[in-house]
Amino acid sequence: MVATSAVWLFAVIWIQTSTRAEVERVLDARLYEAAHMVSSLLADRQIEVGQAETSPNAIPLQSESSFSRQLSCQIWTLDGGIVGQSGGAPDVQLTDRVSEGYSQSVVNGEPWRVYTLINKELGVRVMVGDSLGVRHRLVWDVLEGLLLPGALALPILGAILWLSVAKGMAPLERLAFALRGRAPDDLSAIPDGVSPPEIESVRQALNTLFSRVAAARNIERDFTTYAAHELKTPLAGLRTQTQILRLSDDPKIRKNALDALERSVDRTDRMVRQLLELSFVEKSELAFEDTDLHQLAIELVTDLLPFAKEKSVTLETQRSAENLVRSTNPFLFETALRNIIENAIHASPECGEVLVVLEGNAVSVKDQGPGMSDEELEMMNTRFKRGHEGSPNGSGLGLTIVASAMERLDGRVVFERMKNGGQCVSLHLINGVV
């Protein structure tokens, strides 16, 4: 309503200004025409003028417009005597201007607009004028024609706008009311209903958001539950083995307890590290840069060599391409490859071999372990689920980390059972980008 009223007011001001200018132009032209008409009639002697010493003759102003009756005309001699005037013209001179043209003057306390024409042949000065008050009344009549309909239309328009907006906002208000009444843990979908397309799109967007939040919350809840359960097992083992060490004096029993303590610490350490890796993988910023995959693989293998030697496993790299620089996120790719190599080392038998092969747009890790069954492959994305042949020190997070990292990098993980035994896991690059 405020905006509409402002536009309407601006239109009125603009029309008033333009109308006033147009009225001034038209009426000035009428003054000019009337003065020349009187001068022409004088020249044709269709109007007789009196002598300056006698009373001035009456001058008729013929026109089809009723407004012409507001025009006043005076005929003065060049030496200052009046010889003719129209009916209703003022008794005093309309203007003091002695040259031709338009002028404004005050006659009997009222402003006038006057046009002066000099006829040198007849020796007279013709003055035609009208009151500016009449012009103002004409402009005001035009404004009244706009303001009166506006005064009537604006309240009606306001009521229509109010009802239309209220009706249009009602579905959104009902949706807001329904959301305010929900319990904080209620992430169920908003039921379908008859609503405008705009509200329908909002409802669908909210349902999508609720679905994502519910899925994320379920993942976090399961993650917390499983992590607490998996950490509880090695911690319980630590407590048990500590008690055995405290109560037993047998060197053999104490050695076995220390070995068990070391395994529990290793398992707990790897689980905590993988939990942190999984968190970083899922929340890290995705920035790509040119990365030498062969150099990255060599550094990773060098870092894992002590772990492989501890397991009596040979760890080597093999490349079949000269240029292995790819645009990727080095942290996510290294995290995925590290977990694949660690799983291969865990799965390899004693004196086995793990080979990291870089070929074209794929990085493969081959081991000589028992391989993964179809059932194990189906649950590879399930957190804290270890394979039947998996290491007791495993956390069940390695393949989850790999899958999450490759998904964020728009890559693929391919599992393949080798013919001579063992498992081959490949990280495939897409168009040179992991």
Side-chain angles (χ1 to χ4, degrees):
M1 278 299 297
V2 171
T4 304
S5 300
V7 172
W8 201 293
L9 178 61
F10 174 79
V12 169
I13 294 174
W14 179 76
I15 292 174
Q16 185 266 349
T17 303
S18 61
T19 301
R20 184 180 297 278
E22 186 66 17
V23 168
E24 294 286 346
R25 187 188 66 80
V26 171
L27 294 184
D28 280 352
R30 292 294 303 276
L31 294 178
Y32 177 88
E33 293 172 357
H36 281 77
M37 180 190 69
V38 171
S39 178
S40 177
L41 292 175
L42 287 173
D44 295 341
R45 296 192 177 279
Q46 298 183 26
I47 296 178
E48 297 293 336
V49 296
Q51 299 297 322
E53 295 81 4
T54 62
S55 299
N57 289 350
I59 300 174
L61 288 179
Q62 298 177 356
S63 177
E64 298 177 356
S65 173
S66 61
F67 176 70
S68 298
R69 292 195 297 270
Q70 304 297 332
L71 292 177
S72 296
C73 178
Q74 292 177 344
I75 302 175
W76 294 77
T77 62
L78 295 179
D79 56 5
I82 186 168
V83 293
Q85 66 179 11
S86 63
D91 296 333
V92 298
Q93 188 173 334
L94 289 177
T95 180
D96 295 333
R97 185 185 179 99
V98 295
S99 60
E100 286 193 5
Y102 293 100
S103 62
Q104 288 190 205
S105 62
V106 177
V107 179
N108 297 329
E110 185 178 2
W112 279 65
R113 179 76 166 170
V114 182
Y115 181 77
T116 302
L117 174 66
I118 299 176
N119 191 326
K120 294 182 179 180
E121 294 180 359
L122 298 177
V124 296
R125 184 181 291 111
V126 179
M127 299 179 184
V128 180
D130 61 359
S131 171
L132 293 182
V134 175
R135 298 188 176 197
H136 295 330
R137 285 196 298 273
L138 286 174
V139 175
W140 179 249
D141 289 342
V142 175
L143 292 180
E144 279 187 339
L146 294 173
L147 292 176
L148 290 178
L152 296 175
L154 279 178
I156 298 175
L157 178 62
I160 294 174
L161 288 174
W162 186 278
L163 294 175
S164 300
V165 172
K167 184 177 180 180
M169 296 294 291
L172 187 60
E173 182 62 28
R174 288 195 295 269
L175 178 63
F177 178 79
L179 292 176
R180 284 195 297 267
R182 281 194 167 209
D185 58 346
D186 185 4
L187 296 176
S188 59
I190 301 173
D192 296 338
V194 180
S195 59
E198 296 84 357
I199 303 302
E200 180 63 21
S201 62
V202 173
R203 187 188 65 81
Q204 292 177 357
L206 285 173
N207 283 343
T208 301
L209 176 62
F210 288 158
S211 176
R212 292 177 178 176
V213 172
R217 193 173 69 171
N218 289 337
I219 290 175
E220 291 181 357
R221 182 180 58 198
D222 294 343
F223 182 85
T224 303
T225 301
Y226 291 143
H229 177 268
E230 293 298 322
L231 287 173
K232 181 180 178 180
T233 301
L235 291 177
L238 286 172
R239 176 182 292 274
T240 301
Q241 300 305 323
T242 302
Q243 291 174 347
I244 292 175
L245 281 173
R246 180 180 294 118
L247 298 175
S248 176
D249 295 329
D250 188 332
K252 185 176 181 179
I253 295 177
R254 291 177 66 86
K255 181 180 181 305
N256 292 335
L258 286 173
D259 291 341
L261 276 174
E262 187 176 3
R263 287 193 299 271
S264 295
V265 170
D266 290 342
R267 179 180 177 185
T268 304
D269 175 72
R270 186 170 188 235
M271 178 174 292
V272 171
R273 178 173 57 81
Q274 289 189 320
L275 286 172
L276 294 175
E277 285 181 352
L278 183 59
S279 176
F280 287 142
V281 165
E282 292 179 344
K283 297 180 181 179
S284 63
E285 293 292 333
L286 192 58
F288 291 91
E289 60 183 69
D290 291 341
T291 305
D292 188 338
L293 300 186
H294 181 251
Q295 182 63 30
L296 186 148
I298 290 178
E299 293 176 358
L300 197 53
V301 166
T302 302
D303 187 39
L304 292 175
L305 273 178
F307 175 60
K309 290 181 179 180
E310 180 183 341
K311 301 293 183 179
S312 300
V313 174
T314 302
L315 181 58
E316 296 180 352
T317 61
Q318 176 182 324
R319 60 183 297 181
S320 58
E322 293 298 328
N323 182 15
L324 289 171
V325 176
R326 300 290 183 268
S327 179
T328 184
N329 183 288
F331 169 74
L332 294 182
F333 177 70
E334 179 183 0
T335 300
L337 185 58
R338 175 187 290 273
N339 279 275
I340 291 295
I341 296 176
E342 286 184 351
N343 285 351
I345 294 174
H346 277 296
S348 295
E350 189 173 350
C351 298
E353 181 183 26
V354 174
L355 184 62
V356 179
V357 181
L358 296 97
E359 181 178 7
N361 281 343
V363 180
S364 303
V365 178
K366 302 178 181 179
D367 63 56
Q368 298 175 341
M372 298 179 66
S373 64
D374 294 339
E375 179 184 354
E376 290 171 335
L377 289 176
E378 290 179 0
M379 65 177 188
M380 61 166 288
N381 287 332
T382 304
R383 301 180 180 187
F384 303 106
K385 293 292 184 180
R386 293 188 293 272
H388 300 308
E389 303 295 335
S391 167
N393 291 332
S395 63
L397 288 174
L399 294 182
T400 302
I401 294 172
V402 174
S404 180
M406 296 303 292
E407 180 181 359
R408 294 207 62 199
L409 294 173
D410 196 22
R412 292 188 300 122
V413 186
V414 178
F415 294 85
E416 181 183 1
R417 292 286 295 272
M418 294 188 293
K419 294 181 179 180
N420 57 350
Q423 184 78 42
C424 175
V425 182
S426 301
L427 305 180
H428 280 260
L429 318 181
I430 298 178
N431 297 326
V433 180
V434 177

